[in-house]
Structures are given as C-alpha cells and as structure tokens.
Amino acid sequence: MNKENYETYQLSDFILDESFQAWVQGKHDPFWDHFLDEYPEKNNVFKEARLMVEALSVSEQKLSVTEKENYLAAIYLKAEQREKSRDKSPYLLPYWKYAASLTALILLSGLVYYFFLSTSFQYYETAYQETQRFQLADGTEVVLNANSTLKVLPDLQDKDVREVWLDGEAFFKVNQLMQEGDSSTFVVHTPNLDVQVLGTHFNVKSRDGNTRVMLEEGSVKVANVNTRENLLMSPGEAIELNEREGKIKKELAKESKELAWQHNYFIFENESLADVAAEIYQYYGIQVRFEEAEMRDYIFTAEVSRENLPLLQTLIEEAFDMRIKREGNAMIFQKTNQDSF
Amino acid sequence: MDRKNIQQHNLHLEQSTANSMRQFEKVYHEHIDALHNYGMKFNANRELIEDCVQDLFADLWEKRNKLDTIVSLRSYLLGALRRKLLRKIYSDREYVYDAEEYSGFFEMHLLKNAEAEMALAEEQLVQINSAFAKLTEKQKEVIYLRFYNQLSYKEIAEVMAVQTRTVYKLAYRAIDMLKEQISPYTPALQALLYWLIC
C-alpha cells in the first residue's frame, strides 16, 4: 500500500479506497485494524465510511444448482450447434467421433459432479410440476413439493443433530433415532426459521422470505434465526414467520388444505388472486400479470388438480368474468370488454 | 492410421477434452452468478439475458484453450456480456420491457441485504436506497461493479469501455451525492455506529 496522506482523507476517500473496502468486506488487514490508534481524530468519518461500505456491499442471490446445470446444458447445446453448422462434410467423420465422446463426457461430468456432491452434502431438487418422495439415510421420509431444494448433511444417521436445509416446501415424517441413549434431534433450517423436532410429522414451506410450519403429529420447537425467539407447537397448529414483520404468528391449521399439494391438488379457500398467482408461479413457474391492480384482491375458492391448469384457468375466468391470455411464460389476467354489451 | 493408432488418438482426444472441459466448468462456476446478476440489472427480459450469457460461454468454449491468456477473466466476461446485451437491446426492441414497468437501465435492491438489515435500522436503509435511486445509471453501475464485484477501477473501465479517470470521477460523484442525501441523518447513523462497532 502506498502511504496516502490520511490526514486529509474525507468520507469519499475512505469509501472509495480499494484496500479500505476490502477490509470492511472481510479481508484481513492490520493497517485498517489499527488505523484509529494512529489517526484518532478520524474516528467519526472512519466509522461512517465503514457503515456506508457495509450498506453498499449487498450480497446478491445465487442461482440454484438446478438453474446452473440448466444454464450449462444450454451452453453446451449452443456450442454443439455452432460446431455442427460450421463443420460440414469434410470433417464429418472425425467430428462425429468427437461429438460422441463429447456427449459421453457431458454425461460423465454430470455423474462426477453428483458423486462429488454426494460425498459432501446431498441435494434433492424438484423441477416445476414435479413432486418427489424419498427416504433419507436416517429413515426419515420426505415429500418434496415442486420447485424446491433440500440440502442434507452427509451420514445423517450418525449425527447427534440431523440437519437439513430447505428452500421451498416439504413434508417430513421424522424417524426417531437413539444416539447413545438420547434421541437425536432433527433440524430443518430455512432462511429465517429453524424447526427442531424429535420424531414427528410436519410440513415446512419457505418461499420468498416467508416460512410456514404446519404440525400434523408429535411436537416441534421453532426458532427465529435472527432473534432466537422460539416456541413449541402442538399438533394441528401452524406458525408463520414473515420477513417484514419478523415475529412468529401462530394459528390453527386446516390440514387438508395445507397438505393438499401431496395429493397433487390445489385447495383455495377464500384466497386472494394474488395468493393464487403465487401458487401458480411456485408450481408451474408461470408468472401472472394483472391488467388492473384491484384484480389482485378478488377472493377465489376452488379445489383443482394441479395437473389441470386449463381447468383452473376456466374457473378463474368464469368466477370473475375475465379473460386469461398466455404470453410465453406468463399469464395475463384481463377484464373482458364490457363495452360490447 | 492403423487401428491401434486410432484408438490412442481417440484416447488422447478424450483426455484433452476432459481436461479443457474441467477447466471450462471451473470458470463457469466461478463466474456464472456474477454474470447472471449483472445481466439482470439491464433493462431487458430474462430470456434475452440468459441467451446472451449462454452465447458468451459458448464463445468461451470455442476459446477454451486460450483461457490462460486472459488477465482478469471476471472483467473480461462482464465487459463482453455488457457489449452483447447492449447490442441486442438496441437492435431488438421487442425484447425490451416497457419503460413504465422498469424504472431504469440499472436496478438496485439494497434492501435485500439481510446483514445490512441487521446492522441498520430499516429507516436508514430506506434513506440510502432512495439516495441511491437518484444516481445516474452510470454512477450506479460503477458502484455496483465496485462494491458487488470488487473490481478495481481499471477493470471497471475495461468493462464499461471508458477511461479509468472517468470511473474515478463517476465513483466520487456518486459517493458525494449519497453523502449529501444522507448527511442530514448522520447523527442518527453515528449513534447507531457507536452501538454497533464499539
């Protein structure tokens, strides 16, 4: 580092100093650690600059493993198409050999990739419109709803604390395990809530900063990751933690409704179209746009198979006398034109 | 070539393909999040952005044997993506969102930072956010590349195809503007600061 004249350093100078920024963002640097010992008169501006850098250093969302794999597959496809259109007949023979080995390698690298993951964490992922049932190494049964990811600690059966991480929605039937005379705890982590259980059946849904837990049987303890506020749940109860409100809310749950997804059903009971739109997005990956904002508050009730999107579409159209238009990967809810009457 | 030679030749081909593929995927996993997130800041739909990112990596796949020659891969890739996106956005108007729907070329979402949310009161974050919204697109972009991607000023200049001097100017102007906007609240910020850091 060149010796700058720090006596004259202003707020902007600190904020835009590369080594200062790196230090605030976590890089070890003894110079900045001891800066205030040397320049105590810079105390206020130094701390303000530090705060500004922190506020400006937002960590962004990362793509999921599935999204990354899809991206990569599309890239290889594009590269292959380019090669195909470029190499015409003269190189046909060597090219095909190459293409065949390339395809084999793509498959192989996929396998290696998953093998690598399985020796560390194990990932279960579902695409849109896909539900998976499986058993974890400790005997716990899981049903994973569409568009969800579950990350699982390796060698789960040997752990004192069995930990899994959920993004999306899943139902758990936790297998009660004894670990040296004590039953081992099972913890489901979501971004804002930890669910701690002994042996029990429950549903966790965590999307967009909102986490909801519904307990079917047994007992669980939930804890707010940020405030450590925690409470015990009894069967039939549901709790919800909203990122905005930051406090856990408790209510009585309607089991059939909350677990309908496992039977591949949507049950909407007096739900706003905004909530229905969120469900459509979570399950099909289809974005809903409303022509007029007030439509979001329309109240809708129906029971529909998730296999039958056209039916859901028709029910909504008829209930509110509207038209639903498909446009690429979006659905547009429009008012039918009343002028023609 | 006799049979044995062909086999050896193929084996060699497979090995070198496997090697370059491993290297290529390493590069891919290192940069895909940054590129995707940067792309999403532009005023275009996701399809177009993903298409450009895929194109970029398909280009890179063709150059996979020359990857070592690129000095800063991150800024090279960000710059290449930027050029691709702008070219498509200007030539392909149909892919672009309505002006009403998207307020700018560059959207920032400072509020989403969970850590900052813990450290700062919501009110102060709102202050910083609204101050940020008043910056020009270029100023926002410099701040984004600087604080999110930790690029040096020289690298930012490379990405945005401007002179390093210009990047400094944009950065200083941006920080000064933020300071002006936020300074009426500094007593509150400082009070918070003492509680936070001391």
Side-chain angles (χ1 to χ4, degrees):
Chain A
M1 192 189 320
N2 53 340
K3 257 294 184 204
E4 303 278 354
N5 44 340
Y6 292 107
E7 287 90 359
T8 63
Y9 248 40
Q10 302 291 311
L11 183 66
S12 335
D13 300 314
F14 281 111
I15 293 172
L16 292 169
D17 185 303
E18 286 177 25
S19 75
F20 177 75
Q21 184 194 330
W23 174 71
V24 175
Q25 289 177 340
K27 192 176 170 234
H28 179 68
D29 188 339
F31 174 77
W32 291 112
D33 284 345
H34 298 113
F35 181 83
L36 284 182
D37 301 340
E38 222 176 308
Y39 300 92
E41 73 281 5
K42 289 284 168 196
N43 187 46
N44 287 358
V45 66
F46 179 85
K47 286 180 176 170
E48 200 182 330
R50 183 172 166 171
L51 193 69
M52 282 281 277
V53 172
E54 270 168 13
L56 288 172
S57 311
V58 176
S59 57
E60 286 198 290
Q61 241 186 346
K62 291 197 156 59
L63 292 165
S64 76
V65 178
T66 322
E67 280 172 314
K68 279 188 191 169
E69 287 295 290
N70 290 344
Y71 236 130
L72 190 60
I75 290 162
Y76 280 131
L77 195 70
K78 224 169 216 177
E80 209 175 312
Q81 278 164 352
R82 282 188 192 179
E83 278 175 47
K84 243 181 224 169
S85 63
R86 196 176 316 119
D87 310 302
K88 292 291 178 206
S89 40
Y91 299 107
L92 197 59
L93 195 66
Y95 168 66
W96 278 112
K97 272 184 195 153
Y98 178 71
S101 62
L102 181 66
T103 317
L105 275 163
I106 291 172
L107 287 172
L108 188 70
S109 80
L111 284 175
V112 168
Y113 188 60
Y114 277 108
F115 178 72
F116 167 73
L117 285 179
S118 70
T119 57
S120 48
F121 287 100
Q122 198 160 1
Y123 288 80
Y124 296 90
E125 292 198 60
T126 48
Y128 288 119
Q129 303 182 49
E130 181 197 7
T131 306
Q132 266 185 36
R133 277 166 203 274
F134 48 87
Q135 205 171 41
L136 303 178
D138 68 332
T140 294
E141 287 170 45
V142 181
V143 191
L144 192 61
N145 202 353
N147 179 26
S148 302
T149 309
L150 186 71
K151 177 174 133 183
V152 181
L153 210 60
D155 304 322
L156 206 61
Q157 67 282 7
D158 305 328
K159 298 283 192 283
D160 291 338
V161 180
R162 295 172 274 165
E163 287 176 283
V164 301
W165 288 259
L166 176 70
D167 181 16
E169 182 167 18
F171 181 80
F172 297 89
K173 265 190 192 173
V174 173
N175 188 20
Q176 206 162 340
L177 271 190
M178 300 304 267
Q179 206 67 256
E180 287 158 12
D182 282 327
S183 34
S184 101
T185 337
F186 190 96
V187 182
V188 182
H189 298 282
T190 72
N192 57 352
L193 198 75
D194 289 342
V195 188
Q196 205 189 87
V197 296
L198 294 171
T200 180
H201 307 176
F202 61 102
N203 193 66
V204 183
K205 180 177 186 176
S206 182
R207 303 218 193 245
D208 307 324
N210 197 35
T211 301
R212 186 177 171 86
V213 182
M214 203 283 290
L215 182 64
E216 193 184 46
E217 201 186 299
S219 82
V220 303
K221 191 170 112 182
V222 294
N224 185 327
V225 174
N226 296 319
T227 63
R228 301 317 301 173
E229 170 197 12
N230 63 66
L231 53 88
L232 275 171
M233 289 176 66
S234 330
E237 280 179 345
I239 62 99
E240 201 162 316
L241 178 61
N242 185 298
E243 207 171 52
R244 298 246 152 263
E245 290 163 15
K247 254 188 109 52
I248 300 177
K249 275 188 315 202
K250 197 183 211 174
E251 63 186 32
L252 276 179
K254 272 208 125 171
E255 260 174 51
S256 56
K257 181 175 171 311
E258 305 237 359
L259 302 179
W261 66 268
Q262 287 186 59
H263 310 292
N264 215 4
Y265 261 83
F266 286 123
I267 298 185
F268 299 115
E269 268 179 15
N270 298 323
E271 244 146 301
S272 70
L273 279 190
D275 289 340
V276 175
E279 292 283 337
I280 289 176
Y281 180 63
Q282 281 158 17
Y283 188 69
Y284 302 103
I286 296 171
Q287 205 112 40
V288 172
R289 275 186 256 154
F290 294 94
E291 199 182 46
E292 278 167 57
E294 56 164 71
M295 298 163 94
R296 307 171 63 88
D297 302 326
Y298 290 178
I299 300 300
F300 182 67
T301 297
E303 249 187 80
V304 204
S305 160
R306 298 202 295 189
E307 305 281 277
N308 200 344
L309 182 60
L311 177 63
L312 177 61
Q313 204 167 320
T314 313
L315 288 173
I316 296 173
E317 280 176 331
E318 282 176 2
F320 306 110
D321 194 22
M322 56 167 78
R323 199 170 47 223
I324 298 177
K325 210 172 75 183
R326 283 298 291 271
E327 218 173 66
N329 205 29
M331 261 183 173
I332 299 150
F333 286 23
Q334 297 172 317
K335 288 209 167 148
T336 43
N337 196 355
Q338 301 289 336
D339 298 342
S340 54
F341 289 102
Chain B
M1 261 195 265
D2 62 23
R3 203 187 163 134
K4 201 177 159 204
N5 270 336
I6 291 175
Q7 274 178 352
Q8 272 184 342
H9 176 74
N10 282 350
L11 192 69
H12 176 73
L13 201 63
E14 271 173 38
Q15 275 170 349
S16 68
T17 313
N19 279 337
S20 57
M21 198 149 159
R22 208 172 301 129
Q23 204 197 354
F24 175 75
E25 289 194 10
K26 194 171 154 263
V27 169
Y28 169 80
H29 283 289
E30 255 166 51
H31 300 286
I32 182 66
D33 281 316
L35 286 164
H36 180 82
N37 283 332
Y38 179 59
M40 294 296 281
K41 300 290 176 299
F42 287 77
N43 181 19
N45 69 21
R46 196 182 171 119
E47 222 172 294
L48 177 88
I49 291 153
E50 288 186 352
D51 195 50
C52 286
V53 174
Q54 288 160 12
D55 262 342
L56 177 66
F57 276 105
D59 294 347
L60 204 65
W61 172 252
E62 284 167 6
K63 292 183 209 149
R64 61 191 175 279
N65 296 324
K66 296 177 207 142
L67 287 183
D68 305 336
T69 60
I70 300 170
V71 183
S72 163
L73 209 47
R74 175 64 59 93
S75 56
Y76 167 81
L77 290 171
L78 289 169
L81 179 63
R82 190 178 195 275
R83 285 190 294 278
K84 267 185 199 299
L85 274 168
L86 291 182
R87 207 179 305 134
K88 282 224 174 156
I89 287 171
Y90 290 128
S91 66
D92 239 341
R93 281 267 143 210
E94 58 173 315
Y95 279 112
V96 182
Y97 276 128
D98 296 338
E100 307 154 22
E101 211 170 324
Y102 272 67
S103 57
F105 168 73
F106 230 74
E107 288 273 310
M108 298 285 278
H109 303 283
L110 291 174
L111 266 177
K112 280 199 174 158
N113 185 356
E115 267 170 53
E117 236 170 303
M118 294 240 297
L120 300 167
E122 177 129 358
E123 200 186 318
Q124 275 132 8
L125 265 177
V126 171
Q127 281 307 325
I128 295 176
N129 256 311
S130 67
F132 204 90
K134 297 202 176 81
L135 302 182
T136 66
E137 312 293 6
K138 282 232 158 74
Q139 287 172 340
K140 285 182 202 168
E141 198 173 358
V142 167
I143 296 295
Y144 178 81
L145 292 170
R146 183 81 199 93
F147 288 88
Y148 290 50
N149 280 300
Q150 282 103 27
L151 296 188
S152 70
Y153 293 108
K154 201 163 157 270
E155 288 170 323
I156 296 173
E158 209 183 299
V159 172
M160 294 176 66
V162 292
Q163 292 189 322
T164 314
R165 200 156 27 98
T166 314
V167 176
Y168 272 110
K169 268 193 228 153
L170 284 166
Y172 268 89
R173 185 79 197 108
I175 296 297
D176 283 345
M177 276 181 69
L178 286 178
K179 194 174 81 180
E180 259 167 51
Q181 297 286 332
I182 297 167
S183 62
Y185 302 90
T186 33
L189 273 178
Q190 274 166 3
L192 187 82
L193 221 68
Y194 285 120
W195 174 78
L196 255 177
I197 295 166
C198 299

